[in-house]
Amino acid sequence: MRLLERMRKEWFMMGIVLAIAGAKLEPSVGVNGGPLKPEITVSYIAVATIFFNSGLSLKTEELTSALVHIKLHLFIQIFTLAFFPATIWLFLQLLSITPINEWLLKGLQTVGCMPPPVSSAVILTKAVGGNECLLKSRMVEEAVKVVGFWICFEGTGYADELNMRERRVKTDSKVFH
């Protein structure tokens, strides 16, 4: 009886362990093109579901109060789109005169341009007692910007160039595995 209660309490951890064990026993189920189609289910459906569930937990009053923090949103935009890239660029200029491998510098440049993963941003915000609603409103803003970017550049060939670079990076990264 006590074991059953413990399993009910730790259902999520049990699910993770079972999923890992299943993946170890039959890895072909989760590969690209496999029955689970992770290239679709993970990339689109899972991400959309996570954002949808996260949005359901927001109260309308909290969301509207988070959206009116214009100075904070402006600070974040300037920091993420100007200050941080400039700092990374300066750091890369300093590192370029050292014997560091060119591909490591390109990797650092790529990582310096990427936002932190949403999951870790939410976890860290919760851990320090931050404004979770403000974070989620920022994530929505960023998602709108990304979608707007793709819409604006879709017919120009620039989006195709980015897709080619992404494919090239994925191909190049397979060399290191």
Side-chain angles (χ1 to χ4, degrees), residues 89-126:
W89 182 81
L90 285 171
F91 186 58
L92 287 171
Q93 296 306 309
L94 289 172
L95 288 177
S96 68
I97 59 175
T98 66
I100 292 178
N101 186 315
E102 164 189 7
W103 285 102
L104 289 176
L105 294 175
K106 288 180 181 182
L108 181 59
Q109 181 179 14
T110 302
V111 170
C113 296
M114 296 170 60
V118 171
S119 58
S120 63
V122 171
I123 290 168
L124 292 172
T125 301
K126 282 182 179 179

Side-chain angles (χ1 to χ4, degrees), residues 28-78:
S28 63
V29 173
V31 299
N32 280 349
L36 290 181
K37 301 277 189 230
E39 61 276 8
I40 296 169
T41 55
V42 173
S43 297
Y44 301 106
I45 297 170
V47 172
T49 303
I50 289 168
F51 272 102
F52 181 72
N53 285 338
S54 182
L56 287 178
S57 69
L58 295 177
K59 295 179 181 161
T60 308
E61 300 84 28
E62 289 179 3
L63 184 59
T64 53
S65 71
L67 288 173
V68 297
H69 286 93
I70 303 298
K71 288 181 182 177
L72 180 61
H73 292 292
L74 188 61
F75 170 76
I76 292 170
Q77 293 289 59
I78 291 170

